[in-house]
Each structure stands twice: as C-alpha cells, then as structure tokens.
Amino acid sequence: MSEELMTTISFEPADLLRAKLRRVIDAKEDAIEALASCLTGTYTAAPGEELVSRDQPYRGTYIILSGWASRSRDVYNGERQIINFLLAGDTVGYAANFFQVADHDVRAITPLNYAQLNSAALWEIATIHPKLFGAFIWGIAQEEAMMRDQIVGLGRLRATDRIRLLLADLVMRQTIAGVPYPKSHELPLNQQLVADSAGISVTHANRCIGELSRAGFVSIGHNRLRVLQEVTGPT
C-alpha cells in the first residue's frame, strides 16, 4: 500500500469526537455536535512543517483530522527525541491555554489536515455539558499515560520490545480513531522516526526492525512499516 493511500483518510470533526468520547461516556449527539462546533477553521500542513515551535509562542490549539505528526525536542548534540506521535483525533497545542511559549516542537510527518479549536467556545461548553468536557480533557490527559510508558520503556525495556509495543499502540490508536483494517496496520514510519522515538541510533533501529520482521511482526516498505500480527487490545 502506498504512503498516499495511507494518509488520505480524513474524518469529519464530529465523527472523530464521537469515536473518541464514546469510549469514555455515553455522549448525546447534540453535545458532540456542540463540541464539534468549537472547531472554527481547517488547515493543511506539508511534511516537515511545524505547527508548534520550541521557544516560540503557541499559534493556537488544533485537532488533527488526518495524517501524522510528531511531538519532539531537539537536544544539545543535534539529535532529536520524539516524545509521541499524533494521529487523527489528537489535540495539538492545548497547553496554549496555560503557557505562552512552547517547550517542544510539533512537526507534520505526512500531509496533514487539522482544525483550529476555539478555546473560548470550549470553555463555554464546559458549563453546558460538563461531563462531555471532562471526557474531552480526559482524552488529552491520556498523553501523560503514554509519556509514562515511554519513560518506562526507555529505562527498562530492550529496544526491540519498546519498538514492538510502540507499533502495536499506534495500530490500536488508529483503530480507535476509526481507520479500517488493513489501513490501520499501515504506519508511515521510517527507520529514522523509529530511532528518534526509541532513543537509539538508526543502525540500532534497523537491527531491531529486522528482528521484528524475521519474527513475522512487521513488513518493511519505503518509508512505511506494516504490522502483520493482530492487535486486539491496549498495550
């Protein structure tokens, strides 16, 4: 499957919110539509384009409608650590509601479609539909859980094991967002992105991906990985 096919699935805002929020609460349709109305404009970004730039003011809060991005920080030796990957339905720049300047970068990996979130309207929703607002914030808070997993993996797991868990988690997140099989198992990741996420060299990442390929877990294509094994639950 080509990278173009992997990244052309775009969701309506209400559909994305419905898929994510109904994992948490039994949200009413009018409440979901009200939340979707907080999205005030749609934009595109090319691969490599930054939505958030470290040490620069936040430009807004967004929800990704299609495509992939990475949240990362560059370090003093010129290398980069990817903190997490951002997929359809994920929120970018919510910290703009609390901080003026970003401490990280968010950069498009694939062609990206995203919508701007009107934070003032969102706070109004909080007074009308407090449970829905709580579920929306819960979804954002799950990033902390992912970051805890990242820290544990970097400190205590073999590189091959943390890459396997990362890939399985990304498949599960695509499935939750509504990406159908087999597209949900197609990941637009190359060895450099895997290395930057796992905190290892590209050479080491190549060896780990080769090990996973020989084990029948992934197949390797041009700037993509395909998870071959079924992923049935959270990792």
Side-chain angles (χ1 to χ4, degrees):
M1 181 177 295
S2 70
E3 181 175 342
E4 181 181 0
L5 287 175
M6 285 192 294
T7 58
T8 52
I9 298 177
S10 187
F11 297 92
E12 291 298 323
D15 293 336
L16 272 177
L17 294 170
R18 187 179 297 110
K20 297 197 76 170
L21 294 175
R22 285 185 172 168
R23 295 179 57 232
V24 186
I25 62 170
D26 182 18
K28 303 298 183 183
E29 194 61 28
D30 62 333
I32 291 175
E33 292 291 343
L35 186 56
S37 71
C38 295
L39 301 176
T40 57
T42 57
Y43 306 89
T44 61
E49 186 174 340
E50 290 186 349
L51 281 69
V52 176
S53 301
R54 186 180 180 187
D55 296 329
Q56 298 297 318
Y58 284 100
R59 297 188 288 270
T61 302
Y62 313 109
I63 290 182
I64 295 176
L65 302 180
S66 69
W68 285 49
S70 65
R71 180 181 283 113
S72 65
R73 288 186 67 166
D74 294 334
V75 293
Y76 69 91
N77 62 358
E79 295 185 348
R80 176 179 59 162
Q81 178 64 51
I82 290 179
I83 301 166
N84 63 337
F85 293 101
L86 299 165
L87 316 180
D90 289 341
T91 304
V92 177
Y94 188 75
N97 293 282
F98 309 101
F99 304 102
Q100 292 186 337
V101 176
D103 64 353
H104 61 277
D105 301 309
V106 173
R107 187 175 291 112
I109 295 173
T110 69
L112 203 67
N113 293 318
Y114 60 98
Q116 185 159 18
L117 180 65
N118 184 327
S119 296
L122 181 63
W123 289 112
E124 290 183 14
I125 292 293
T127 64
I128 303 171
H129 303 287
K131 289 184 179 180
L132 183 72
F133 178 77
F136 178 75
I137 298 300
W138 177 88
I140 296 173
Q142 293 309 294
E143 289 184 7
E144 289 193 13
M146 288 189 287
M147 291 177 190
R148 287 193 293 272
D149 288 343
Q150 174 88 330
I151 292 169
V152 172
L154 289 171
R156 293 298 179 183
L157 294 180
R158 293 173 58 244
T160 301
D161 291 334
R162 58 180 181 264
I163 291 171
R164 179 179 59 81
L165 291 174
L166 167 69
L167 300 181
D169 180 68
L170 291 169
V171 167
M172 181 55 56
R173 288 171 60 196
Q174 289 213 107
T175 302
I176 290 171
V179 178
Y181 179 85
K183 289 184 176 66
S184 59
H185 284 54
E186 298 280 347
L187 310 177
L189 301 177
N190 56 29
Q191 286 88 342
Q192 184 67 65
L193 290 168
V194 172
D196 288 346
S197 179
I200 57 179
S201 68
V202 173
T203 300
H204 193 178
N206 281 333
R207 288 199 297 267
C208 294
I209 294 170
E211 182 180 338
L212 291 171
S213 177
R214 290 189 295 274
F217 184 75
V218 297
S219 64
I220 306 168
H222 177 63
N223 287 330
R224 70 176 180 88
L225 295 172
R226 183 171 189 270
V227 175
L228 301 174
Q229 296 182 8
E230 184 178 4
V231 177
T232 57
T235 58

